Amino acid sequence: MSKIIVLAGGGLDSTTLAYMLADDGHDIDLLSFDYGQRHHKETYYAFRTAVRLDVRHDMVDLSEVGRLLTGSALTDRNVEVPIGTYDAETMKATVVPNRNAIFANIAAGIAASRGAKIIAMAVHAGDHVVYPDCRPMFISALRVLLLTSFDSDFDVYAPFVTMHKYQIVKLGAKLGVPFSKTWSCYVGGEKHCGECSTCIERKEAFIAAGVTDPTEYEQC
Ligand SMILES: [Zn+2]
């Protein structure tokens, strides 16, 4: 058993990761970030996951940093959320520059202060094309950075880095992850919009996994 700080965004990937680690008997804490994103539904879902798993959850306030990361649909109200497709070119509008490196470094500092030597991230293969900070090379480089920074053992656990989202759905289904209590939609309405790029990716992952999608969508 290890003490692990899990970056938890409230989506189905990081929720499945948290369930997997808890199921394996690890002592996990969940960590979410307010980076000035359009809505806080996702972080609320991360908080609820922590309550269900009976583990600690902290929210790091980076809203002032997010305000300065302009140009992304996720942090900049002047950039539209992509609707109807998740092809690479369209999805570039959702890149928040260097986001995972920012989050991971803060998480690693918090981990060290709690005596933990592992952070866990739910990056997956479907993110590679658009998001450079989700690729295996990024994870390898981050490991080296943190080993160097701490001058002692430290690991970045990213078990989904070569998996596709539908495989995560399959795994989550086996672990009993309550997918209806995870949030993907970038728009952040009452229900998942069903039309934005991440909603489409979510729907397709359930279909490819052969798992019933319990998500309520505004548009099916
Ligand atoms: Zn949506």
Side-chain angles (χ1 to χ4, degrees), residues 185 193-194 196 199:
C185 182
C193 77
C196 75
C199 276

